[in-house]
Amino acid sequence: MKEELVTIIIPVYNIADYLERCIKSVIAQSYTNLEIILVDDGSTDESGQICNQYTISDNRVTVFHKKNGGLSDARNYGIDRCRGSYIMFLDGDDWVEPTIVEELYAVHQNTDVDFAQCQFMYAYENGEMKQLDVVQPELTYFSKNEAIKSFVESGPLGISVAAWAKLYKRDVFKKIRYPKDRVHEDVVTMCDIVFSDISKVAVLNKPLYNYFQREGSISNNVNYKRLKDQLTCQVYVKEHVDQYAPYLKLEANKILYDIIIDIVNLIPKSDLKEQSKFLREIEANAKKIPGGDLKKSGYKLRLRLYFKLIQWNLPLYIKLRSEKNGA
């Protein structure tokens, strides 16, 4: 049977030190019928020139140079121009194992799924590789409702929020695109996908994607853009659950609770006045979580009382927490 064309979309932005490793891992795939789209998203280093070099050495590689628009915009740019029957995304500082396309494509051919996902390895700058300790069958299938539940629960055994490490049917993106100017764009898009008209997905319990962990600059400042977007995206998931899968409200509220707690514990007392609008937004979304749901989820009384204070007087909670910690 003739292999169908698979498009691999790689957004590129100022990653010259890592880009060749990424591209070489794609060129070396055992599955050869590939369209490799490099989207140079306005790089100011040598990344654009590196992309150009590979269009000369391999006719499967196409590069588009565009004005910087962010990761979502670059992915969408590639989707709009791809010709493949299947789509895979790869971040330009990551790399893949030689059989990732072949093995995920085989899953599609053996069972008609909308997307197939594999596991991944954490790859560190010192050369260390670390795999999630996942105990599950080599291949697990999820119906639509099972995929929604797995995504909402965000566990390591099921559907991840990441765009990468997946091979999608092109039709999955017929009406779906990545939201621009977002930090956690994968959460929104994967939510759209699992709540769309998909019927079946699969997870291959094999680490075929290498997720590179780059050390960024150390800063004492809280990244409020990231925190605000994290809250907004999880609220987006909760709203979908409330409307389309109310039987998962308990799970969605638990995840939102955990995220609110994580966010709140990062806000210092010194930022209360400056972030007053964000604090009110946190309070408003915290009030949407019934105390009874927290009790059902197994949270101890002390934690439920702390959360009650967050719901009604978040600045006071932060002040008390800061005093307790000696901040």
Side-chain angles (χ1 to χ4, degrees):
M1 181 167 50
K2 188 178 186 299
E3 293 180 339
E4 298 171 271
L5 182 65
V6 171
T7 297
I8 299 181
I9 298 171
I10 307 175
V12 174
Y13 180 70
N14 288 355
I15 47 172
D17 291 341
Y18 314 101
L19 183 56
E20 289 201 72
R21 177 180 62 188
C22 173
I23 298 174
K24 285 179 179 178
S25 75
V26 175
I27 289 174
Q29 286 297 301
S30 56
Y31 188 101
T32 59
N33 192 14
L34 302 176
E35 175 189 42
I36 304 166
I37 295 182
L38 307 175
V39 183
D40 173 24
D41 192 37
S43 296
T44 56
D45 65 359
E46 293 78 31
S47 295
Q49 293 94 307
I50 294 172
C51 291
N52 291 340
Q53 291 169 9
Y54 280 95
T55 64
I56 299 171
S57 60
D58 194 315
N59 61 14
R60 298 174 300 173
V61 178
T62 302
V63 61
F64 295 100
H65 300 282
K66 60 180 285 295
K67 182 180 178 181
N68 180 256
L71 180 59
S72 290
D73 191 54
R75 285 180 182 155
N76 294 339
Y77 198 91
I79 293 170
D80 292 339
R81 288 157 180 79
C82 79
R83 298 180 292 111
S85 301
Y86 296 88
I87 296 175
M88 177 180 287
F89 298 103
L90 176 58
D91 286 353
D93 51 356
D94 299 337
W95 73 99
V96 289
E97 295 302 307
T99 61
I100 184 172
V101 179
E102 178 184 355
E103 295 196 50
L104 292 181
Y105 181 77
V107 173
H108 275 275
Q109 299 311 298
N110 293 334
T111 305
D112 189 27
V113 296
D114 293 283
F115 69 83
Q117 171 189 305
C118 65
Q119 299 293 358
F120 64 91
M121 297 281 285
Y122 287 106
Y124 298 90
E125 288 187 311
N126 64 3
E128 181 184 1
M129 304 289 287
K130 192 176 293 185
Q131 182 182 353
L132 291 174
D133 187 18
V134 177
V135 180
Q136 69 180 51
E138 183 176 14
L139 190 60
T140 306
Y141 291 101
F142 296 82
S143 66
K144 176 185 175 68
N145 287 339
E146 289 169 342
I148 291 173
K149 185 174 188 296
S150 175
F151 165 75
V152 170
E153 291 177 340
S154 303
L157 302 181
I159 311 303
S160 74
V161 301
W164 40 258
K166 297 178 176 71
L167 182 64
Y168 309 84
K169 283 183 178 177
R170 182 178 178 176
D171 284 350
V172 167
F173 290 95
K174 185 178 290 185
K175 297 180 181 179
I176 293 173
R177 291 293 184 273
Y178 286 89
K180 298 178 183 180
D181 301 320
R182 303 294 288 271
V183 181
H184 297 277
E185 72 289 329
D186 289 3
V187 176
V188 171
T189 306
M190 190 51 60
C191 181
D192 288 341
I193 288 172
V194 297
F195 278 97
S196 68
D197 58 357
I198 65 168
S199 58
K200 193 175 186 180
V201 302
V203 175
L204 178 64
N205 186 21
K206 195 170 182 180
L208 299 171
Y209 189 100
N210 299 301
Y211 178 33
F212 188 53
Q213 307 296 293
R214 277 194 287 165
E215 290 187 12
S217 59
I218 298 174
S219 172
N220 293 322
N221 297 321
V222 177
N223 186 335
Y224 281 106
K225 180 178 180 181
R226 180 174 292 277
L227 295 184
K228 291 173 184 178
D229 195 61
Q230 185 179 18
L231 177 62
T232 300
C233 290
Q234 196 56 47
V235 169
Y236 185 84
V237 172
K238 174 178 163 49
E239 289 172 348
H240 275 66
V241 168
D242 290 346
Q243 185 172 357
Y244 302 111
Y247 54 91
L248 292 173
K249 278 187 177 182
L250 187 66
E251 289 86 347
N253 284 334
K254 181 182 184 301
I255 299 297
L256 182 58
Y257 165 89
D258 290 340
I259 285 177
I260 287 176
I261 291 296
D262 288 345
I263 290 173
V264 166
N265 286 336
L266 288 172
I267 301 176
K269 184 172 66 174
S270 58
D271 288 1
L272 290 179
K273 186 174 181 181
E274 180 184 353
Q275 297 299 327
S276 59
K277 183 179 178 181
F278 183 37
L279 298 186
R280 290 195 298 272
E281 183 182 347
I282 295 172
E283 284 181 349
N285 284 294
K287 288 176 182 177
K288 297 176 183 177
I289 303 177
D293 280 7
L294 299 181
K295 186 175 182 180
K296 291 176 185 176
S297 295
Y299 291 104
K300 294 181 180 180
L301 177 60
R302 175 175 56 86
L303 297 177
R304 301 202 307 270
L305 290 176
Y306 284 157
F307 196 68
K308 181 65 70 174
L309 182 56
I310 288 173
Q311 289 175 317
W312 295 103
N313 197 328
L314 178 53
L316 177 59
Y317 171 86
I318 293 174
K319 289 176 182 178
L320 293 175
R321 183 210 67 209
S322 299
E323 291 171 3
K324 180 181 177 182
N325 296 334

